[in-house]
Amino acid sequence: MDGKVWLTLGVIIAVGLAIAAAVLLVRVFAARRLLLDSGIPLRDKALFWVAVAYTVSPVDLIPDPVYLDDIGVLLLALRSLNAAAGAVRPTKEPGATA
């Protein structure tokens, strides 16, 4: 394969990773309503803001054309926030009406 093919492949991968990071960032912002829940620990609420700041920050572990570190931080924040919300909120009993 010549250089043009590698460049095209690299651009496609970089764009795909950027889109994945953007989608996760939007999901993190959608989960911010959980931040208003008083039962969720401050540690998990702070992780939300750390993930957002790291994603938009120009300082990264891996340079910005590769968004794997940003995606990892966002996934960690979403998982932690959702797990904390699930632990705080009581589960509904089967057959109960809302």
Side-chain angles (χ1 to χ4, degrees), residues 14-40:
V15 168
L17 289 173
I19 290 170
V23 166
L24 285 173
L25 185 60
V26 168
R27 288 188 66 195
V28 167
F29 273 109
R32 75 174 180 224
R33 65 181 161 75
L34 297 175
L35 295 174
L36 301 175
D37 191 352
S38 61
I40 295 177

Side-chain angles (χ1 to χ4, degrees), residues 4-27:
K4 187 175 181 181
V5 173
W6 284 111
L7 180 63
T8 304
L9 184 61
V11 167
I12 290 171
I13 290 172
V15 168
L17 289 173
I19 290 170
V23 166
L24 285 173
L25 185 60
V26 168
R27 288 188 66 195

Side-chain angles (χ1 to χ4, degrees), residues 10-25 51-76:
V11 167
I12 290 171
I13 290 172
V15 168
L17 289 173
I19 290 170
V23 166
L24 285 173
L25 185 60
V52 170
Y54 183 79
T55 302
V56 298
S57 168
V59 178
D60 283 333
L61 294 175
I62 301 174
D64 264 345
V66 180
Y67 292 100
L68 292 177
D69 57 332
D70 297 327
I71 291 171
V73 170
L74 290 171
L75 284 173
L76 177 67

